Structures are given as structure tokens and as C-alpha cells.
């Protein structure tokens, strides 16, 4: 496959459903490597404040993608509506244009990654995963167009925030890493808030958050 790849977790289909990209799956791609020891990472209020200041950049990128998405969803009601695999491929190809040509296999896999609830349709929030993994965060796409770089910047902010929170470089965020990012150095730990925030991110409730889930959650943050 040309770029993004499967982010399946332990409750997912068998390994033959996974596809690698340049020898890496999306979990490896979103990390600095699996073998680094826990250290560094995002720490507390300073990180969250810095990240929050970049929300306008993220929102601008997401809205740019939505402008294309809304032409194809069924009733014009934005986030509530869903599109099928065929339409998702059409929209993704339209956004990428001549920069990235997708094979049927690539489109099928990107849809599989994005369809977090396995309903065979995807919402705009889920479609953002396809756009991010398949195009804007794709190493094989080389585009210096100002518009592309502007839209890409929001996805890059999300990817970097994910890496910052993923202190051990495993390609997924666990509860302790989220706790460090939210609470380190500024008062008592609020267990209820931590639980709520982690639940928002951990879509399949397996105890770890990977980049597609993190991207999905950003729409409502």
C-alpha cells in the first residue's frame, strides 16, 4: 500500500487483514519506535495549553476537508450523516487529485481503518482518518502547494500531539501517558476527568489509544 496502514488492535480481524506500508504499519508510523523506554513525553498543563492554542489550525484543516465531504453525504446534515466505501474513495481521490493515485486495495484498507464501529459506512469524523493516513500524513505525497500545506498543517499538529503524549514511543497512548499529559505538575489528579478524557479517545475500549482514534476524537475536543 502507498501510505497509511492498518491500526488494528487486539480485538481486530486476523493479521491477514493488515497491510504494511514501507515495512511499517500505522502504529509504528505514528511513533518514534517501539523499543524506546518511557521518558519524555507531554507533561501537564503546559502541554495542554500549547496544544489548545493550536486548535484553530486543526479546525481550519478539518473544515477544509468537510467542504469536500459534504458534497457527497446523504442529507446535508454534516457529522450525523454517513457515506459508503465507494463514496469515501471518490471523496478521498477528489481531495488528493493528481498528488496521490489510490488502488482499489488501498481505498478498501483506508475505509477499513476509518470504519471504527464496523458499520460499513463512515461519518465525517471517521473519514478524517482516511484523509490523514492516506494523504496528508503520507510520506510518499510531495506537494509544495500553499493550499495543501495549509490543510496538512492541522493534521501534522494532531500527529505531533499524539507523539508527544506517547512517551514510550509504542505507537499507542495508555492511561498513564494520558495522566502525565493532563495532570503533571499542576495540582491533584482528577481521576474522573482522566477517565472521561481517556474514554473519549479509546473508541474500542481496549485500554490503548492509537492515532486513528486520537484523530477521531479531535473533532469533538
Amino acid at each position: 500500500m502507498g501510505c497509511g496502514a492498518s491500526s488494528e488492535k487486539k480485538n481486530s480481524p486476523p493479521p491477514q487483514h493488515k497491510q504494511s506500508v514501507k515495512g511499517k504499519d500505522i502504529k509504528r508510523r505514528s511513533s518514534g519506535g517501539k523499543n524506546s523506554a518511557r521518558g519524555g513525553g507531554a507533561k501537564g498543563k503546559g502541554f495542554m495549553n500549547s496544544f489548545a492554542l493550536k486548535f484553530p489550525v486543526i479546525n481550519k484543516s478539518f473544515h477544509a476537508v468537510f467542504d469536500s465531504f459534504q458534497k457527497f453525504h446523504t442529507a446535508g446534515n454534516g457529522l450525523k450523516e454517513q457515506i459508503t466505501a465507494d463514496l469515501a474513495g471518490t471523496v478521498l481521490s477528489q481531495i488528493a487529485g493528481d498528488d496521490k493515485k489510490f488502488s482499489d486495495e488501498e481505498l478498501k484498507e483506508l475505509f477499513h481503518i476509518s470504519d471504527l464501529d464496523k458499520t460499513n459506512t463512515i461519518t465525517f469524523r471517521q473519514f478524517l482518518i482516511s484523509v490523514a493516513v492516506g494523504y496528508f500524513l503520507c510520506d510518499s505525497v510531495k506537494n509544495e502547494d500553499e493550499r495543501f500545506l495549509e490543510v496538512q498543517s492541522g493534521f501534522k499538529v494532531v500527529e505531533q500531539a499524539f507523539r508527544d503524549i506517547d512517551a514510550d514511543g509504542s505507537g499507542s497512548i495508555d492511561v498513564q501517558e494520558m495522566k502525565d499529559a493532563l495532570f503533571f505538575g499542576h495540582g491533584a489528579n482528577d481521576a474522573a476527568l482522566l477517565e472521561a478524557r481517556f474514554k473519549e479517545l479509546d473508541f474500542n475500549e481496549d485500554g490503548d489509544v492509537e492515532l486513528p482514534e486520537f484523530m477521531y476524537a479531535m473533532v469533538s475536543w
Side-chain angles (χ1 to χ4, degrees):
M1 177 173 175
C3 189
S6 177
S7 59
E8 298 307 316
K9 300 185 181 181
K10 44 190 174 253
N11 295 325
S12 303
Q16 61 264 32
H17 291 279
K18 294 188 178 183
Q19 300 290 331
S20 63
V21 183
K22 297 180 181 178
K24 302 179 287 185
D25 62 21
I26 187 177
K27 186 169 183 178
R28 290 292 299 276
R29 187 187 180 287
S30 60
S31 70
K34 293 181 67 62
N35 298 322
S36 58
R38 183 185 294 274
K43 297 298 182 181
K45 188 174 182 179
F47 164 76
M48 292 305 298
N49 287 345
S50 176
F51 185 40
L53 289 173
K54 297 175 183 176
F55 280 5
V57 177
I58 298 171
N59 287 336
K60 189 172 184 179
S61 295
F62 287 2
H63 280 295
V65 174
F66 184 66
D67 287 343
S68 295
F69 180 88
Q70 69 177 349
K71 298 176 183 177
F72 293 89
H73 67 67
T74 57
N77 292 325
L79 304 184
K80 296 180 180 179
E81 297 302 327
Q82 300 176 330
I83 59 176
T84 62
D86 289 343
L87 285 178
T90 298
V91 181
L92 183 58
S93 295
Q94 181 192 68
I95 291 172
D98 294 332
D99 296 323
K100 180 78 175 77
K101 299 300 183 182
F102 299 94
S103 68
D104 290 342
E105 182 181 355
E106 287 177 315
L107 290 173
K108 182 178 180 180
E109 185 186 355
L110 286 169
F111 185 85
H112 180 67
I113 293 170
S114 304
D115 185 18
L116 296 177
D117 51 6
K118 305 309 175 190
T119 61
N120 294 318
T121 57
I122 57 175
T123 64
F124 170 66
R125 292 173 68 181
Q126 293 169 324
F127 179 70
L128 281 172
I129 298 169
S130 292
V131 174
V133 175
Y135 183 49
F136 287 107
L137 299 179
C138 182
D139 293 336
S140 66
V141 174
K142 306 300 181 185
N143 189 332
E144 298 302 321
D145 179 76
E146 183 177 347
R147 175 61 173 167
F148 171 85
L149 296 175
E150 182 180 46
V151 176
Q152 183 192 50
S153 63
F155 291 99
K156 288 286 190 180
V157 168
V158 175
E159 183 183 42
Q160 186 58 55
F162 179 89
R163 289 179 174 179
D164 289 343
I165 298 173
D166 177 24
D168 65 358
S170 67
S172 63
I173 297 169
D174 59 30
V175 173
Q176 183 60 50
E177 288 169 328
M178 179 59 69
K179 181 178 179 180
D180 290 344
L182 287 175
F183 301 109
F184 185 88
H186 70 108
N189 293 355
D190 186 335
L193 177 59
L194 175 63
E195 181 179 1
R197 287 291 178 263
F198 196 81
K199 187 174 182 180
E200 290 173 4
L201 295 169
D202 188 15
F203 190 91
N204 71 349
E205 299 180 346
D206 73 345
D208 290 292
V209 175
E210 293 180 0
L211 182 58
E213 294 171 298
F214 191 74
M215 188 74 65
Y216 180 85
M218 287 302 100
V219 179
S220 59
W221 273 31

